[in-house]
Amino acid sequence: MTFTPTKFDTLLVANRGEIACRVMRTARRMGLKTVAVYSDADATARHVREADEAVRLGPAAARESYLNVEAVIEAAKRTGTGAIHPGYGFLSENGTFVKALEQAGITFVGPPASAIAAMGDKSAAKARMANAGVPLVPGYHGDDQDDALLRTEADKIGYPVMLKASAGGGGKGMRVVESGEGFKAALDGCRRESKAAFGDDRMLIEKYLVQPRHVEVQVFCDRYGNGVYLFERDCSVQRRHQKVIEEAPAPGMTPELRAAMGDAAVRAAKEIGYVGAGTVEFLLDADGSFYFMEMNTRLQVEHPVTEMITGQDLVEWQLRVAMGEPLPCRQDELTITGHSFEARIYAEDPEQDFLPATGLLTRFALDLEGAGLGADQVRLDSGVESGDAVSMHYDPMLAKLIVHGVDRNAALATLNRALAALDVQGVVTNRAFLQRLANHPGFKNVELDTRFIERNEATLFAPRQFSTEDYASAALIGLHQLAQECESDSPWDRHDGFRLNAPHTIRIALSDPSASTPATDSDSGVVVVEGKRDTLDAHWQLTIGDSTLSASLQPLTGDAVAVTLNGHRRRLQARRDGHVVVMSEPSGETRLFWQRIDAIDHGHHEAESSLTAPMNGTVVALLVEPGAQVEKGMPLMVMEAMKMEHTMTAPADGSVETFHFQAGDTVSQGAVLLDFAPSE
């Protein structure tokens, strides 16, 4: 089909969340009118609030809204839209959607359908890349999908192998198989996930490199045969094959290796007649060898780190290329300045195997001033604000925190400070886990590979050891916040005879929020506070075990406070999440349950003889029969949430008495899934 350059003045963003907000930000700067689309679950979402116009697509389910091609095109026609930007995910790599837009006379801000098709089928893509001279990982990419044949091919390749959905991406439908014994179960799970996410259960198999780095190259092509690469990103730190922290440029990259990978990426793009922004992903082995993984025919989640080091707006490039303009820069005009990190803020619980979380965001704020940071150092791309709801229907990513520094060490220091300044309340997130990652010695020393989190699990998830200073600081912060709210109905106001303006003694119990019971009067986490508090920075005397400290607290800008203990002053970002005091600093986060000794509810943490849903989701499969005798850790049932499967296991040796749900049922977080009888 011959392309006729078309200028447009209205842009519809066929997506939601942070990427919809991010695309509309550039579109508005370019003078374009913006149109949002939404499902019933997103009727009041941020991207809807920020758009010039918004059109409802349908119910919450993605298949009935954001994946509904007819509804999206009808919304475009209804609003006089000249072009559609797909963001990432949803319809961004759907060739049928692109063809439908061509027929409707609407410009697609992305590659042609033929390029999407060429890379959408990973097996066919491998063959095309081989023709273009792009290095490939050994594997099986054939059309014959017989289970027995796939097992035979895996045996030939040699374990460990990676099972991957042929039509998929984003970590869905992927498993590492360590041996032939586990192949069948992994294959079944991959097929289920792939079918649910992509409507296609075909698999490919690749040799699993033990400690490779995941390095990807940003490419851009126009309709006049021009192609460039905007350097590379290291995306090695992942959980469930999904990226967590990305950085650019890739550390340790030599000019020769950068040029070799960049040239290979441009060859890959030109092989399929690519137009627009794309990302060619490689596995980089320790010996400097690199292998083609796949090409994502869209804008990547982590594109901001490339923007930070190049000074280019990739969404603007996309829109200009879609209008028929040539690339804004030649290869020799592109340069790297400094270093950038991106940390993905997810609504998930790292302590519970990264289970997705839902709820109401009671607070979502970044206190740059309190952290001493500038807007030129930190960028927050977010799809939510305080008061927004996080639902079970979509990906759990809330925002992306992007930082820039003159070099890797400076950027990493800024990332730690910015993470400490990010205040998210009401929904469990991975923010503290990201701080532990960014402060890990292996991460600082660039000991990176795609199994970094798995290899360092013992240290990343080690039980927190609290110091006397932690207990003392939390006690003061809790008292300060209590004083600030003394006229409210907050449960923190139950001070039972404690007078804010008179000498008094109060006993505060502080404990790990994840502990089975709060601290008691005999525990080390009890702080005895004595003193008269008549000004905000008054002095107190604290007794913790055998230690006595002279203490004071001074509020600073935003959420920042200064806590002084025996003359040692610490600057902290201080906030409260329910009864939990949260203290953040560049070296990490401390969370302590704060309560008066006489106010503790000792029955709060009693165990139950049942298994409850850890998140909102759908039951996929029941793996045992009612009445079955099981051992601790044995899989009992499979749930699916946000397109990912989660296996519920037996909490102890015992028997499953009753299942309360069947496969296909939707369940709410906290619902009792089954009754369990532990062995005596």
Side-chain angles (χ1 to χ4, degrees):
M1 182 176 179
T2 302
F3 172 73
T4 302
T6 303
K7 298 291 184 181
F8 46 85
D9 56 14
T10 302
L11 179 72
L12 184 148
V13 183
N15 216 298
R16 63 179 302 280
E18 69 84 19
I19 186 57
C21 295
R22 186 265 171 275
V23 170
M24 288 191 291
R25 183 170 66 245
T26 290
R28 286 193 297 269
R29 181 174 56 77
M30 294 177 65
L32 300 177
K33 179 181 177 181
T34 58
V35 178
V37 289
Y38 63 92
S39 70
D40 289 344
D42 281 341
T44 60
R46 181 176 179 178
H47 74 282
V48 175
R49 299 194 297 267
E50 292 187 354
D52 295 313
E53 294 185 47
V55 179
R56 176 185 178 273
L57 294 177
R63 292 182 185 278
E64 300 178 64
S65 51
Y66 296 106
L67 291 174
N68 187 331
V69 171
E70 292 78 12
V72 172
I73 292 177
E74 177 58 33
K77 292 178 178 178
R78 182 176 175 183
T79 54
T81 292
I84 290 181
H85 193 300
Y88 46 71
F90 293 135
L91 296 172
S92 62
E93 296 177 283
N94 187 311
T96 301
F97 176 57
V98 178
K99 291 178 181 178
L101 291 182
E102 291 175 353
Q103 294 174 358
I106 299 170
T107 299
F108 178 68
V109 183
S114 58
I116 294 175
M119 284 300 179
D121 187 320
K122 290 183 173 57
S123 298
K126 301 285 185 179
R128 295 287 296 269
M129 294 304 99
N131 291 336
V134 180
L136 300 178
V137 177
Y140 173 76
H141 314 114
D143 293 329
D144 192 336
Q145 291 289 302
D146 178 73
D147 287 7
L149 175 69
L150 294 182
R151 166 65 189 271
T152 299
E153 292 295 332
D155 292 343
K156 288 180 183 178
I157 295 167
Y159 297 95
V161 298
M162 172 73 83
L163 276 172
K164 298 174 69 174
S166 183
K172 299 174 180 66
M174 294 177 64
R175 298 280 197 286
V176 176
V177 186
E178 300 287 351
S179 66
E181 288 73 19
F183 185 84
K184 182 62 167 62
L187 178 62
D188 290 345
C190 282
R191 287 198 191 281
R192 282 197 303 266
E193 278 191 5
S194 181
K195 189 71 172 178
F198 315 113
D200 188 332
D201 65 359
R202 290 175 301 146
M203 292 287 122
L204 58 82
I205 309 172
E206 292 179 345
K207 178 66 179 174
Y208 186 72
L209 303 179
V210 176
Q211 286 190 310
R213 287 168 60 184
H214 183 142
V215 176
E216 60 187 32
V217 178
Q218 177 72 63
V219 295
F220 231 106
C221 299
D222 61 23
R223 298 181 183 274
Y224 309 104
N226 303 309
V228 298
Y229 62 91
L230 290 90
F231 312 112
E232 78 289 338
R233 304 181 283 255
D234 193 305
C235 307
S236 299
V237 180
Q238 305 176 7
R239 56 94 175 102
R240 289 180 171 170
H241 310 297
Q242 291 182 314
K243 302 159 192 173
V244 179
I245 294 181
E246 302 98 348
E247 59 182 298
M253 183 69 66
T254 64
E256 295 77 16
L257 182 56
R258 173 173 292 126
M261 295 182 75
D263 290 342
V266 173
R267 287 201 308 274
K270 289 187 174 181
E271 167 68 20
I272 59 171
Y274 200 77
V275 175
T279 300
V280 182
E281 301 192 353
F282 295 101
L283 288 177
L284 177 62
D285 215 349
D287 63 0
S289 302
F290 61 92
Y291 305 97
F292 174 84
M293 289 174 60
E294 62 183 353
M295 182 176 183
N296 291 298
T297 53
R298 53 174 166 77
L299 194 67
Q300 288 281 90
V301 177
E302 57 275 17
H303 76 274
V305 293
T306 297
E307 295 181 324
M308 295 290 257
I309 65 167
T310 62
Q312 304 296 326
D313 184 330
L314 297 188
V315 173
E316 180 177 345
W317 278 43
Q318 284 187 297
L319 295 174
R320 294 197 180 282
V321 167
M323 291 177 179
E325 297 180 16
L327 293 179
C329 294
R330 300 189 310 269
Q331 189 67 60
D332 60 3
E333 295 175 316
L334 294 167
T335 58
I336 296 174
T337 302
H339 202 94
S340 180
F341 286 96
E342 174 182 291
R344 301 189 187 191
I345 312 299
Y346 284 102
E348 65 183 14
D349 188 352
E351 309 298 331
Q352 300 296 324
D353 195 27
F354 298 98
L355 286 177
T358 59
L360 182 69
L361 280 170
T362 54
R363 181 168 168 78
F364 188 86
L366 179 61
D367 182 17
L368 289 182
E369 185 178 3
L373 296 172
D376 59 329
Q377 297 172 280
V378 183
R379 164 178 162 183
L380 183 66
D381 285 9
S382 169
V384 295
E385 295 176 319
S386 299
D388 285 349
V390 180
S391 78
M392 62 173 278
H393 300 289
Y394 313 112
D395 186 272
M397 189 172 70
L398 303 176
K400 303 179 304 195
L401 186 65
I402 308 107
V403 302
H404 185 265
V406 294
D407 56 27
R408 189 175 192 269
N409 289 337
L412 190 54
T414 299
L415 176 64
N416 284 318
R417 190 173 291 275
L419 283 168
L422 182 64
D423 185 3
V424 187
Q425 297 179 25
V427 176
V428 176
T429 73
N430 66 332
R431 188 188 64 82
F433 176 73
L434 291 170
Q435 281 191 277
R436 296 199 297 273
L437 271 176
N439 279 288
H440 194 280
F443 188 82
K444 291 180 178 179
N445 295 330
V446 200
E447 298 166 4
L448 304 176
D449 63 74
T450 55
R451 302 180 73 176
F452 180 88
I453 293 177
E454 181 180 344
R455 285 193 298 104
N456 295 285
E457 184 175 2
T459 51
L460 288 171
F461 294 95
R464 178 61 193 264
Q465 301 298 316
F466 301 104
S467 66
T468 297
E469 290 74 17
D470 291 333
Y471 288 127
S473 299
L476 285 187
I477 290 167
L479 284 174
H480 171 67
Q481 293 172 331
L482 182 150
Q484 298 294 93
E485 300 181 358
C486 63
E487 299 301 325
S488 74
D489 295 325
S490 168
W492 286 60
D493 296 341
R494 294 182 295 195
H495 30 275
D496 305 324
F498 177 54
R499 299 291 179 264
L500 294 177
N501 297 310
H504 197 74
T505 297
I506 183 172
R507 305 178 75 84
I508 301 169
L510 296 154
S511 59
D512 187 336
S514 63
S516 58
T517 58
T520 64
D521 214 357
S522 61
D523 293 333
S524 60
V526 171
V527 181
V528 179
V529 184
E530 298 179 61
K532 179 178 180 181
R533 179 169 174 74
D534 50 14
T535 62
L536 287 177
D537 58 353
H539 286 269
W540 303 78
Q541 179 174 292
L542 309 183
T543 302
I544 307 173
D546 297 330
S547 301
T548 301
L549 302 91
S550 173
S552 65
L553 180 146
Q554 178 187 8
L556 302 175
T557 305
D559 293 329
V561 299
V563 174
T564 303
L565 303 172
N566 286 351
H568 181 196
R569 185 178 185 272
R570 295 170 68 195
R571 180 190 179 99
L572 303 166
Q573 299 290 131
R575 45 193 172 265
R576 188 186 74 235
D577 189 356
H579 280 283
V580 176
V581 170
V582 183
M583 302 176 293
S584 300
E585 52 190 328
S587 61
E589 176 187 272
T590 302
R591 299 174 64 88
L592 282 164
F593 188 86
W594 191 104
Q595 199 166 20
R596 288 284 301 277
I597 290 291
D598 52 303
I600 293 176
D601 175 10
H602 293 284
H604 180 68
H605 297 277
E606 292 182 0
E608 298 179 1
S609 59
S610 59
L611 196 66
T612 58
M615 71 288 185
N616 296 328
T618 303
V619 176
V620 174
L622 306 181
L623 304 180
V624 299
E625 296 292 332
Q629 295 293 319
V630 298
E631 297 179 352
K632 182 179 179 180
M634 182 174 175
L636 304 180
M637 63 188 301
V638 179
M639 285 185 63
E640 184 270 338
M642 297 180 180
K643 302 179 183 178
M644 296 293 288
E645 288 191 357
H646 308 275
T647 301
M648 312 294 117
T649 60
D653 293 349
S655 63
V656 176
E657 294 187 332
T658 307
F659 283 106
H660 295 290
F661 296 94
Q662 299 298 318
D665 289 349
T666 299
V667 298
S668 301
Q669 182 178 7
V672 176
L673 299 173
L674 58 88
D675 294 329
F676 183 82
S679 300
E680 296 183 1

